[in-house]
Structures are given as structure tokens and as C-alpha cells.
Amino acid sequence: MTHSSSAIQPVLTVHDLTVQLPPNADRSNAVEHISFKVFAGQTTCLLGESGSGKSVIAQTVMRLLPPAVTPVQGSVNLLGEDVLAMPQERLRRVRGERMAMIFQEPMTALNPVMTCGAQLDEMLAVHTSMPPAERRARILEVFGRTRLPEPPRIYGAYPHQLSGGQRQRVMIAMALILKPALLICDEPTTALDVTTQAEILKLIKELQRENGTAVLFITHDFGVVAEIADHVVVMRLGEMVEQ
């Protein structure tokens, strides 16, 4: 990494973030005083065991926290905009266009009663003015880029008809089709076998290089970190141990 990166504006800046848990929880804050940055084309890993607050940070950045869990201090800045202060309507546009998330379990994030193609088409219809034929062509192209076999077949398939690795690729295609500036990966390889896991990591890295995407990668796996991280933030019980 060059020392000139200080001149580049970070894509994401999390500053002094504290997120409060409901009164009956085992500790008062899910995370406290967390600060880190993610730069274009680089990967920042949040590393820590389960319960360390990693996923809470991801959900805070995406504004997907459950109502009882609230940010009480600090800021989340995405490309110069304060995510925590955004009105709902602006947030809807920003999710997908500027930031996207790949979840640990694609079955919870994909709609079981819609074909994979229709789910991506819906996103493009909402966020772009592409006509239907162009949308379809773009989706097939992205399916091809994420190494899904026979894109037209995947387009017409329902999530349950695909393997775990294929569903995860559909999620990646969905997250990246609008070329967001920030991609958040919440343990996206945990449920996959080692070979598929390596392929998925390679794919995320490749797409990141092409699009200059900033990646926030959440994991408890040191092997994954060694493989992909430019920066590492180590978490323990809601606190930052080191960067």
C-alpha cells in the first residue's frame, strides 16, 4: 500500500460508532467507539469471534438494524453522505446503487418464490431506466461474469433449484450488478465447502479489481483474512482490539 492513499477520499468512514443493545442484553453496547475507513479498490476485514459485534457494524452501515438496537454515538459516512441521518427514500436509492451486501445465508436474502433472473431484473427496473431486453442481457452477462453455468438456465431457476455455491454467486451478481462503490460481505463463505469458498473469494477480488469497489469483509476466519485483507480491524466483545 502506498503512503499517498491519505490523499484519496475513503468510500466509507465509520467514526467513533457506538451501538446500544436493548436493556435486557448481556452487555449494554453491541459495539463501542469503533472507527475505521474503507478505500476504493481495497478490502478492510472486520475480524472477531461470534458475538464480537462485527455483523452489527455491517447492519449499521446498511441501516438494517432491528428496532431495539440503536446507534447512539458516532457517524457512518458513505461517499460524503451521513448514512445514519438519511431519509428512508434516499436510503432506498443508496442501497444497491452505492452500497450492497452479501449475506452469510443466501436463502434468507433471496426470494424463494421468484426466479433468480426476476430478482435481479426487479433491481435494475427500480434503479435504472434500461428497457427489459437490455436488462436481461445485462443480467445474463453478470451471471456469466460470476461464473454461473448456463446463465439462461440460472435466469429462469428458483433459488432452491441451485446449489449453495450457485446461490452465493447469484447473491454476488445481485450485489454487484449496479456497481456499488461499497460491497459489504458478511461471512459470505461460512456455509460453503473449502473449494467453493476459495472460488468465491477469488471472484470477489476479481470484480473488486475491475470496478474499484471498496470491500468491507466480515469474518472469524484468519485464513480468509490472510487471503484478501489490505486492512484488518480486530474486534472483541464489541470493542476494537487493534487495527
Side-chain angles (χ1 to χ4, degrees):
M1 198 190 130
T2 55
H3 55 262
S4 64
S5 75
S6 58
I8 315 166
Q9 283 304 303
V11 172
L12 176 72
T13 305
V14 172
H15 179 66
D16 199 28
L17 181 68
T18 298
V19 178
Q20 206 170 38
L21 287 168
N24 54 359
D26 59 351
R27 57 177 195 250
S28 50
N29 294 323
V31 296
E32 33 194 82
H33 307 304
I34 305 294
S35 298
F36 63 87
K37 292 176 177 164
V38 191
F39 290 91
Q42 295 197 347
T43 300
T44 296
C45 276
L46 292 181
L47 175 69
E49 70 267 20
S50 142
S52 60
K54 313 181 298 285
S55 291
V56 168
I57 294 173
Q59 290 168 341
T60 306
V61 174
M62 287 293 285
R63 288 257 307 263
L64 293 170
L65 286 171
V69 182
T70 37
V72 287
Q73 186 182 327
S75 60
V76 175
N77 195 295
L78 177 73
L79 296 170
E81 284 187 271
D82 180 353
V83 175
L84 301 181
M86 256 176 215
Q88 206 56 43
E89 198 170 312
R90 176 68 190 140
L91 187 63
R92 270 200 296 272
R93 295 229 57 96
V94 165
R95 274 195 211 130
E97 282 175 33
R98 294 193 154 194
M99 59 176 173
M101 186 157 167
I102 303 170
F103 297 88
Q104 189 168 6
E105 184 29 81
M107 272 318 255
T108 53
L110 293 169
N111 183 335
V113 297
M114 274 174 90
T115 63
C116 295
Q119 298 190 48
L120 271 80
D121 187 68
E122 189 176 59
M123 271 192 77
L124 286 179
V126 168
H127 290 280
T128 72
S129 50
M130 284 181 194
E134 196 182 323
R135 294 202 301 264
R136 185 183 165 90
R138 172 101 179 92
I139 293 164
L140 293 176
E141 179 211 343
V142 172
F143 279 170
R145 295 284 315 292
T146 48
R147 306 238 193 325
L148 280 157
E150 306 166 67
R153 181 176 67 80
I154 303 283
Y155 190 101
Y158 290 90
H160 71 265
Q161 295 171 316
L162 306 180
S163 72
Q166 288 173 342
R167 283 198 290 267
Q168 199 53 284
R169 285 163 202 268
V170 169
M171 276 289 309
I172 293 172
M174 199 167 181
L176 290 174
I177 196 155
L178 295 168
K179 300 198 169 152
L182 175 70
L183 176 65
I184 301 175
C185 304
D186 191 0
E187 308 241 11
T189 55
T190 303
L192 306 171
D193 63 78
V194 177
T195 321
T196 313
Q197 180 170 334
E199 284 173 10
I200 296 283
L201 289 178
K202 197 170 142 220
L203 176 65
I204 291 172
K205 245 182 358 196
E206 232 168 79
L207 294 166
Q208 171 183 34
R209 262 203 308 276
E210 272 168 44
N211 300 329
T213 317
V215 175
L216 178 60
F217 201 100
I218 292 160
T219 183
H220 61 266
D221 182 337
F222 278 98
V224 168
V225 171
E227 185 94 0
I228 60 166
D230 294 298
H231 305 276
V232 183
V233 176
V234 182
M235 304 276 305
R236 193 167 64 229
L237 293 175
E239 291 177 24
M240 237 160 61
V241 191
E242 56 186 312
Q243 283 221 51

